[in-house]
Structure formats: C-alpha cells, structure tokens
Amino acid sequence: MTRRTVYLAVYDTYADWETGHATAHLAQHGFTVRTVGPTTGPVTSMGGLTVRPDLALAELRPGDGALLILPGAGLWDAGDELAPFARAARTFLDAGVPVAAICGATAGLAREGLLDERAHTSAVSFYLAATGYGGGKHYIDADAVTDHGRAGHDGAGSGGALVTAGPTEPVAFAREILALLGVFEGEKLDAWYRLFHDSDASAYEVLQG
C-alpha cells in the first residue's frame, strides 16, 4: 500500500464514536487522516463536537487516498443531503479504492445501489430493506463484513473493497479496516480485537510481541 492518506467524511450529526478506533490506530501506524466535509465550513457531530474539514467533498480524488470512511449520521435518513457522499463512494470503488461505511452510511450506499451485488451488513436487514434496494440476498448478519470486490463488474462500482458495519460495532468496523490496510493480521489482529472489544488483558502481550 503506497497511498497513506485515509479520508474521513464529516457532516452535521455524524456519529463521532463510530470511527474513533479506526482513525486513531491508523494514525498511529503511519496513515494520515484527513477530514472531508460538504464544504470546508465547520460541522457539528452528534456528540456536539465542532470539526472544520481539511477539504471539501468537491476536492476529493480517489487516486490520492487509501480509503474513504463514511460514518453514520441522522442526516442519512432525513433526506438526500448526504447523497453526494454516497456518489463519492461509488467513484472510489470504481477506481479500485476501498470504502468503509457504518450505521446510516450503509443505507446511503444502499440507496446509491452499491450494495446490490456485494456482501454487506448494517444495523438490521429490514433497515436496509426499507430503502428499497436490491441487495437483500447479500445481507449477512455479522458484526462487520468486508467485500473485496469483483474486478470488472459493470455498473456497481465493485472494483474496490467495501467494509460495512452496524452502529453498535465500532471495534469490529475498525478491525476490518485495520486488516484491509495491513495494519494488523493473523494473531495480532485477533489480539487487537480481543483487547478493545472484550477487555482481554492477555491480548496486550500478543500485540507487544
């Protein structure tokens, strides 16, 4: 992996707790995390944090990055305001660059048609079914799912890998991202998950080994 920039989408009402494990550990392992907003004007998270994005969505280019992360937000289910971020995800996937979406962002991708031919998960299957998408048969009841894409697929933007997770699984979401970008693998990946998800102190020694 030569590209070391990870883009984190931020927009009003974004769920600030859903991506912290992923971005913190990526930053600690040599990746640069840059925030992307609708504009470069400040946005306010669901937790009341104010963030001034590093760049506007119109400036975002998939060729510059290793991953686009889309957190959940109340706005995903309140209209089409965040639809441009789902379209950006299509551009990334078409270019072979991975995308990771959690919580309401999965519904945004469903509406964009990006889950119709991919293995995926979300909060619950009927949450995505309510979008009217065509990917129900590919839904997996799991904490997080990575679909590695199918090169050459026409029209669904499936060249890049896609990570999805539900709102209660920020650690599993991070696990899939860290594996995808090669931060941890095998025994260390399992140990990282056990430490942060299960508070298994014995896993710390494995990570330090």
Side-chain angles (χ1 to χ4, degrees):
M1 176 71 68
T2 56
R3 291 170 293 185
R4 306 289 289 183
T5 299
V6 171
Y7 293 109
L8 171 65
V10 292
Y11 21 71
D12 285 333
T13 75
Y14 81 92
D16 39 27
W17 68 91
E18 292 177 342
T19 59
H21 284 89
T23 55
H25 286 87
L26 288 171
Q28 291 172 21
H29 287 84
F31 288 86
T32 298
V33 179
R34 301 193 72 198
T35 51
V36 184
T39 67
T40 54
V43 299
T44 303
S45 76
M46 196 175 294
L49 303 180
T50 299
V51 175
R52 186 175 293 276
D54 295 313
L55 70 160
L57 184 60
E59 303 173 82
L60 185 62
R61 300 290 181 270
D64 299 331
L67 177 71
L68 172 63
I69 302 176
L70 301 175
L75 288 179
W76 280 113
D77 296 320
D80 296 329
E81 185 173 340
L82 298 186
F85 284 91
R87 291 194 289 271
R90 177 181 290 280
T91 300
F92 268 65
L93 293 172
D94 282 343
V97 182
V99 172
I102 185 170
C103 188
T106 62
L109 297 192
R111 295 185 188 98
E112 181 64 17
L114 294 175
L115 304 184
D116 287 354
E117 299 296 333
R118 287 175 167 273
H120 61 275
T121 193
S122 184
V124 287
S125 60
F126 55 81
Y127 170 63
L128 292 186
T131 69
Y133 85 130
K137 65 182 179 181
H138 300 293
Y139 186 90
I140 298 174
D141 189 8
D143 54 9
V145 170
T146 298
D147 182 292
H148 289 278
R150 288 164 288 281
H153 182 80
D154 184 22
S158 60
L162 177 63
V163 175
T164 51
T168 61
E169 298 293 346
V171 181
F173 185 59
R175 178 196 64 207
E176 298 300 299
I177 290 171
L178 297 177
L180 185 64
L181 297 187
V183 174
F184 296 122
E185 59 184 15
E187 186 179 47
K188 283 199 172 183
L189 181 65
D190 177 68
W192 182 89
Y193 182 73
R194 287 189 289 110
L195 179 62
F196 287 96
H197 186 267
D198 303 326
S199 299
D200 182 350
S202 68
Y204 182 78
E205 295 182 5
V206 178
L207 284 172
Q208 298 304 306

